[in-house]
Amino acid sequence: MNRTLTQKILQKHLVEGELKPGNPIGIRIDQTLTQDATGTTAFLLFEMMNAGRVKADVSVSYVDHNTAQFGPENHNDHLYLQSIAAKSGAWHSRPGNGICHQVHLERFAKPGETLLGSDSHTPTCGGIGMLAIGAGGLDVAVAMGGGPFYLTCPKVVGVELTGKLNEWVSSKDVILKLLSILTTKGNVDCIVEYFGPGVKTLSVPQRATMTNMGAELGVTTSVFSSDELTHIFLDAQDRGKDFIPLCADLGAEYDRVIPINLSEIEPMAACPSSPDQIQPVKDIAGLKVGQVLIGSCTNSSFTDLMLVAEVLRGKQIDAMVEFGVAPGSRQVLEMLARNGALADMIAAGARILESACGPCIGQGFSPGDGVVSLRTFNRNFAGRTGTKGDMCYLVSPETAVASAIMGEITDPRNLRQLMGIKYPKIKMPREFLIDDSMLIPPLSGAEAGEVQVLRGPTIAVPESPQPLPGELHGQTLLKCGDKITTDHIMPAGTFLKYRSNVPQYSKYVFNSFNEEGKPTVAQRALAIKALGRYGIVVAGESYGQGSSREHAALCPMYLGIRAVLAKSIERIHKANLINFAIVPIEFADPADYDKISTGDDLVIPELLTAIQGRDAVQIQNKTTGTAITGKLILSQRDRNILLNAGLLNYTKIKASRR
Ligand code: MIC
Ligand code: SF4
């Protein structure tokens, strides 16, 4: 059989199950990554598992999200992470060293290996030919302890690239084009594999932009082959020894093929407020912009920022535009500083931010009311900038810099005519600047014994779920619509600093649904809990889009929410719900969604019996007297986890039986 690249990597790592789309499978994980916003919980859970030292080949704990340090919380987390990494045998990437995905691509990613990361953009490393998957922190903690990662064997969607990108068009425009085709929903349990003659025209950072933003499609991951350009990139990172050539067999069979001719791609934009609201830039050109931000794990590589700097050299950004640049890593920042490109950007009016997630996760640079913000980032969910009613557009660095100069959305292909600016051809450096001094290597077992783990007073050990009841008496805490993201469920921005304190963070569950002067969703959930009943969330399609944050399950669980009834649920979030013993139920008939309102009393009479072995579960709406059938789309392992009060408890029970 002619195999896809995905099948080859999966086969090599398969430890359980059969490689047939839809089957539950378990794979060995070679590398893991965590970041501070999810990593504190992941490491606290890792400690609770008593798994000893890290057993994955490479585990890196990054600090990149929570670096603003208003109050002691962030620094307490950093100190905990540095000490627990030392204790447990993980690498530690210090704050300032860069965004996890960019640094991992530069310094650790290896073609043909598997990576599991507690961040949804972990697929970035698919740009180097790695099978890189985002997951909840608890799943990553299990993989750090040497356990397999369980997933549904994916279908493989082949994206056949032909042609070559034109000047001023970038790989960001290609992934935006793909988002316009596949949208952000309906792609669960698929992997996107890029193939075809167009692949060799894209550098590793360009590929990584596409695999990064593949997360917005809701696919398990995206992957490119590993070829001569991969070799050149690894050589330039002084990691040539990590190279292996890898590609699909000729005539490999994909479940679906989407052809994309790179020569036909034009500058694209994702309009407010979803990454799949795509329009060609030329159709929205002329719209006044008040803020332009370059950075995030999608578009902050050395080549991206060199292009921006070259365009800006000798120019000024528009007087009404606030212009920020956050380089993806310390390597990128230092190289720009040494070659003068940073000075060009500063001279043009750029405000330089540290190498971190920053504004991408609402840590500063919230736009003013009514201000159009153009960003090279990957997500523009409503309110993610920190401003209610924000108008955030996602574009390529080319479009961003052109618009910053012109003060309005500008098709970068017009820059020559408008400003006499020629397209700068940016070369990949033959050697990147290698300085790993902000990466602390793992300690030996003996040295680690001496380390004291620093757990500051703002860090709270998360609570474990209680066993599920045989018959669930609940109330609809909230009925929400389609495409509810994890940002809606557990907001980031100014609340991000409470990530390592579940009781505190849970106060902001579904914060965007709270109304002035009325009890918050969290207060209502606690009131239901006080009556000895359970909260139930009812939702439309694609519930739990976006991030991997397990707090979107952990905090609701803490407030007594034990079931989600939705038209469909996204992969990572569904796994997180199961891990924290919240039952994910899908409507057998989506029209039944209309039979429930917020506040309705719902009873699930045979919940445990159904979890034990049925695919359907009956739900009685006591308020309206109607009955609803729900689907339980669960593997045997999912059922075991739910029946044993969550993954942590299940892992402990399994370990005690060994
Ligand atoms: C995001 O981009 O939404 C985040 C913040 O990186 C999240 C992780 C988190 O919530 O900590 C993600 O993508 O998984
Ligand atoms: Fe950080 Fe933004 Fe990337 Fe998430 S998407 S990892 S917040 S830069």
Side-chain angles (χ1 to χ4, degrees):
M1 185 188 139
N2 298 335
R3 291 182 306 162
T4 61
L5 172 56
T6 304
Q7 285 159 346
K8 289 184 187 185
I9 305 180
L10 284 176
Q11 185 69 60
K12 208 174 134 217
H13 290 84
L14 193 69
V15 290
E16 248 178 83
E18 198 196 334
L19 278 189
K20 242 171 79 191
N23 271 5
I25 54 169
I27 57 170
R28 181 170 45 80
I29 295 298
D30 302 314
Q31 301 191 358
T32 69
L33 74 76
T34 48
Q35 42 87 341
D36 52 324
T38 55
T40 30
T41 308
F43 273 96
L44 288 168
L45 293 166
F46 181 74
E47 286 191 272
M48 287 163 79
M49 278 164 37
N50 297 323
R53 291 192 27 105
V54 161
K55 296 186 185 62
D57 295 347
V58 171
S59 286
V60 192
S61 163
Y62 292 92
V63 177
D64 54 359
H65 279 62
N66 271 325
T67 55
Q69 297 180 214
F70 291 109
E73 291 87 351
N74 295 168
H75 197 206
N76 284 344
D77 286 355
H78 303 171
L79 293 170
Y80 166 68
L81 288 170
Q82 183 162 347
S83 60
I84 189 67
K87 186 94 194 162
S88 57
W91 289 80
H92 181 74
S93 176
R94 301 186 61 196
N97 197 42
I99 305 174
C100 54
H101 309 302
Q102 175 68 25
V103 178
H104 210 83
L105 188 75
E106 292 167 357
R107 307 305 304 143
F108 294 100
K110 284 189 193 170
E113 295 209 343
T114 51
L115 167 69
L116 194 72
S118 63
D119 191 283
S120 64
H121 291 104
T122 303
T124 310
C125 290
I128 216 166
M130 196 171 202
L131 206 75
I133 303 176
L138 184 48
D139 282 325
V140 178
V142 169
M144 287 196 294
F149 175 61
Y150 293 89
L151 70 160
T152 303
C153 181
K155 288 187 185 155
V156 186
V157 177
V159 176
E160 184 175 18
L161 301 176
T162 53
K164 190 175 181 303
L165 292 174
N166 289 312
E167 288 185 355
W168 299 107
V169 182
S170 92
S171 66
K172 176 67 158 279
D173 301 311
V174 186
I175 184 64
L176 292 176
K177 174 76 190 174
L178 191 61
L179 271 154
S180 76
I181 299 170
L182 288 176
T183 77
T184 57
K185 57 188 177 79
N187 306 311
V188 174
D189 298 332
C190 292
I191 286 187
V192 168
E193 182 171 316
Y194 293 94
F195 72 104
V199 167
K200 64 174 187 306
T201 68
L202 300 171
S203 68
V204 167
Q206 284 175 313
R207 295 174 189 180
T209 293
M210 290 163 64
T211 54
N212 170 286
M213 215 177 160
E216 276 46 74
L217 298 165
V219 294
T220 305
T221 188
S222 308
V223 67
F224 272 88
S225 39
S226 165
D227 56 14
E228 203 32 47
L229 289 185
T230 320
H231 201 172
I232 291 172
F233 178 81
L234 281 168
D235 265 341
Q237 289 288 352
D238 198 19
R239 295 203 293 123
K241 61 175 186 350
D242 290 340
F243 173 73
I244 52 163
L246 263 182
C247 62
D249 292 332
L250 216 65
E253 277 174 35
Y254 294 96
D255 292 283
R256 174 182 176 187
V257 173
I258 300 173
I260 292 189
N261 183 347
L262 298 174
S263 316
E264 287 171 3
I265 299 288
E266 53 179 337
M268 308 292 265
C271 303
S273 292
S274 174
D276 62 1
Q277 294 300 306
I278 308 294
Q279 295 230 32
V281 169
K282 66 175 183 325
D283 291 358
I284 51 170
L287 185 67
K288 287 269 169 254
V289 297
Q291 185 183 66
V292 177
L293 299 179
I294 313 253
S296 94
C297 54
T298 322
N299 275 123
S300 58
S301 65
F302 175 76
T303 37
D304 279 337
L305 297 198
M306 278 307 293
L307 178 128
V308 171
E310 291 280 325
V311 173
L312 286 177
R313 181 173 305 141
K315 300 279 178 304
Q316 278 294 308
I317 52 155
D318 183 84
M320 290 310 291
V321 172
E322 170 175 84
F323 183 64
V325 179
S329 69
R330 179 163 165 267
Q331 180 183 77
V332 172
L333 179 56
E334 196 175 339
M335 286 176 73
L336 297 174
R338 291 191 187 280
N339 74 9
L342 193 65
D344 289 332
M345 291 195 274
I346 295 170
R351 291 166 64 184
I352 307 298
L353 286 82
E354 71 171 324
S355 296
C357 299
C360 180
I361 192 58
Q363 303 289 294
F365 271 76
S366 300
D369 293 303
V371 171
V372 169
S373 177
L374 225 61
R375 301 173 169 214
T376 64
F377 307 172
N378 48 34
R379 289 191 172 141
N380 59 347
F381 303 143
R384 185 172 159 102
T385 61
T387 299
K388 236 184 168 137
D390 52 9
M391 288 177 292
C392 177
Y393 291 73
L394 307 174
V395 295
S396 67
E398 288 81 348
T399 302
V401 69
S403 310
I405 296 172
M406 300 308 298
E408 57 186 39
I409 294 188
T410 303
D411 187 328
R413 294 172 297 183
N414 296 336
L415 265 190
R416 185 172 201 152
Q417 194 195 338
L418 292 167
M419 298 289 296
I421 300 176
K422 279 207 290 193
Y423 177 68
K425 284 214 169 62
I426 307 298
K427 282 215 184 93
M428 182 68 73
R430 289 168 67 120
E431 282 175 15
F432 287 96
L433 189 151
I434 313 295
D435 172 3
D436 288 337
S437 55
M438 296 283 275
L439 267 175
I440 306 177
L443 292 181
S444 70
E447 289 166 320
E450 307 291 308
V451 173
Q452 214 203 328
V453 176
L454 304 173
R455 215 176 279 111
T458 51
I459 298 177
V461 175
E463 256 183 39
S464 295
Q466 294 298 315
L468 283 162
E471 172 167 307
L472 187 142
H473 287 255
Q475 197 184 93
T476 313
L477 172 69
L478 186 74
K479 181 177 177 184
C480 37
D482 290 341
K483 289 191 182 183
I484 293 298
T485 71
T486 51
D487 280 23
H488 290 110
I489 307 170
M490 274 331 297
T494 45
F495 309 113
L496 199 59
K497 66 178 186 177
Y498 300 128
R499 280 289 176 90
S500 49
N501 189 330
V502 170
Q504 177 65 22
Y505 195 29
S506 345
K507 291 182 185 160
Y508 308 103
V509 163
F510 287 108
N511 192 49
S512 56
F513 289 84
N514 288 333
E515 289 172 55
E516 194 91 31
K518 293 198 180 154
T520 62
V521 177
Q523 286 166 337
R524 289 198 292 108
L526 286 174
I528 297 173
K529 193 176 173 185
L531 296 172
R533 297 167 65 196
Y534 298 95
I536 298 178
V537 172
V538 174
E541 279 184 50
S542 245
Y543 182 72
Q545 276 192 1
S547 85
S548 68
R549 67 191 68 147
E550 62 196 339
H551 298 78
L554 186 50
C555 294
M557 181 277 289
Y558 175 80
L559 297 177
I561 297 166
R562 297 308 291 272
V564 167
L565 181 56
K567 290 186 187 170
S568 64
I569 307 176
E570 292 296 310
R571 175 188 68 88
I572 306 181
H573 186 58
K574 183 172 167 186
N576 285 335
L577 290 174
I578 295 168
N579 287 350
F580 292 98
I582 299 179
V583 191
I585 309 173
E586 294 178 38
F587 286 101
D589 177 1
D592 282 352
Y593 169 83
D594 297 328
K595 292 188 185 158
I596 308 180
S597 308
T598 300
D600 283 359
D601 290 335
L602 303 181
V603 174
I604 311 181
E606 295 192 339
L607 181 68
L608 281 190
T609 322
I611 296 173
Q612 267 154 15
R614 295 188 199 152
D615 294 335
V617 64
Q618 297 307 314
I619 302 142
Q620 296 167 356
N621 187 335
K622 293 287 181 193
T623 307
T624 61
T626 48
I628 290 156
T629 305
K631 289 188 290 181
L632 291 176
I633 308 174
L634 301 169
S635 68
Q636 188 52 50
R637 179 174 177 272
D638 295 338
R639 291 175 193 272
N640 293 344
I641 294 172
L642 287 171
L643 293 170
N644 287 287
L647 179 59
L648 183 61
N649 201 37
Y650 179 58
T651 309
K652 281 188 187 162
I653 293 172
K654 274 195 3 186
S656 69
R657 286 198 199 125
R658 265 184 224 133

